[in-house]
Amino acid sequence: MAFELPKLDYSYNALEPYIDAQTMEIHHTKHHGAYTTNLNNALANIPNAPTSIEDILRDISKYPVAVRNNGGGYYNHNLFWKLMKPNGGGTPQGDLADAINRYFGSFEKFKEIFSNAAATRFGSGWAWLIVKSDGSLAVTSTPNQDNPLMDIVEEKGKPILGLDVWEHAYYLKYQNRRPEYIAAFWNIINWDEVSRLLKS
Ligand code: MN
């Protein structure tokens, strides 16, 4: 069984003006496409690998680095596309809003902490909002295509929000201005999906 590149729930220009259509198309078809192909190639010689990407990531220390890089890339982008939508943004509601207030003090404070994690990740990587094993929320960041499900990361948890801060995610429109891309992300977050992940 091979992993497949998922279709997006919206068109490549649907997140304009915050993320441009050309970036979305290249990011999805070329970058995510390559992670998918390379993950399948890396797993081809590994007998009895789990069919669930989450199961693979949880034991990632047992796999070659190609599975770590491409399996992370495959999972992270699957998640990322669902975490955005046209006319998204606004503020979290219900249990998610309560949890954010409880662990960060306020939505504005959470926004500041998450944005700072994204801005200060050196080089390529991701910023995350995770649910830890004790049920608490935390903001973390990981390099490259690592993520908080992996057994090799320092602060583990289930990611419910993630922001890709690789230059390929923003360079065509924002060049070196990563903070502007991070600020734009708040206008397209799909909080319903973040809430769904919190409960799942
Ligand atoms: Mn990416």
Side-chain angles (χ1 to χ4, degrees), residues 27 31-32 35 73 76-77 80-81 126 145 164-166 168-169:
H27 201 174
H31 293 277
H32 197 188
Y35 295 128
N76 293 347
H77 290 84
F80 187 49
W81 309 134
W126 292 73
Q145 294 297 353
D164 186 346
V165 295
W166 282 59
H168 69 222

Side-chain angles (χ1 to χ4, degrees), residues 27 31 35 57 65-77 80 117-118 120-128 140-148 150 152-153 162-169 178:
H27 201 174
H31 293 277
Y35 295 128
L57 298 178
V65 70
V67 177
R68 173 174 168 181
N69 289 339
N70 294 292
Y74 176 73
Y75 173 91
N76 293 347
H77 290 84
F80 187 49
T120 57
R121 163 49 53 196
F122 185 76
S124 299
W126 292 73
W128 305 102
T140 70
S141 99
T142 52
N144 306 315
Q145 294 297 353
D146 289 355
N147 71 47
M150 293 178 172
I152 42 120
V153 302
L163 177 58
D164 186 346
V165 295
W166 282 59
E167 283 188 342
H168 69 222
R178 189 194 285 186

Side-chain angles (χ1 to χ4, degrees), residues 24 34 37-38 42 47-48 59 68 95 98 102 104 109 112 116 122-123 151 156-158 166 179 185:
M24 285 299 296
T37 302
N38 293 335
N48 306 318
D59 283 330
R68 173 174 168 181
D95 291 347
D98 293 345
R102 179 172 171 196
F104 302 102
K109 189 67 192 167
E112 187 187 317
N116 187 57
F122 185 76
D151 61 355
K156 285 184 266 300
K158 179 178 71 171
W166 282 59
F185 178 60

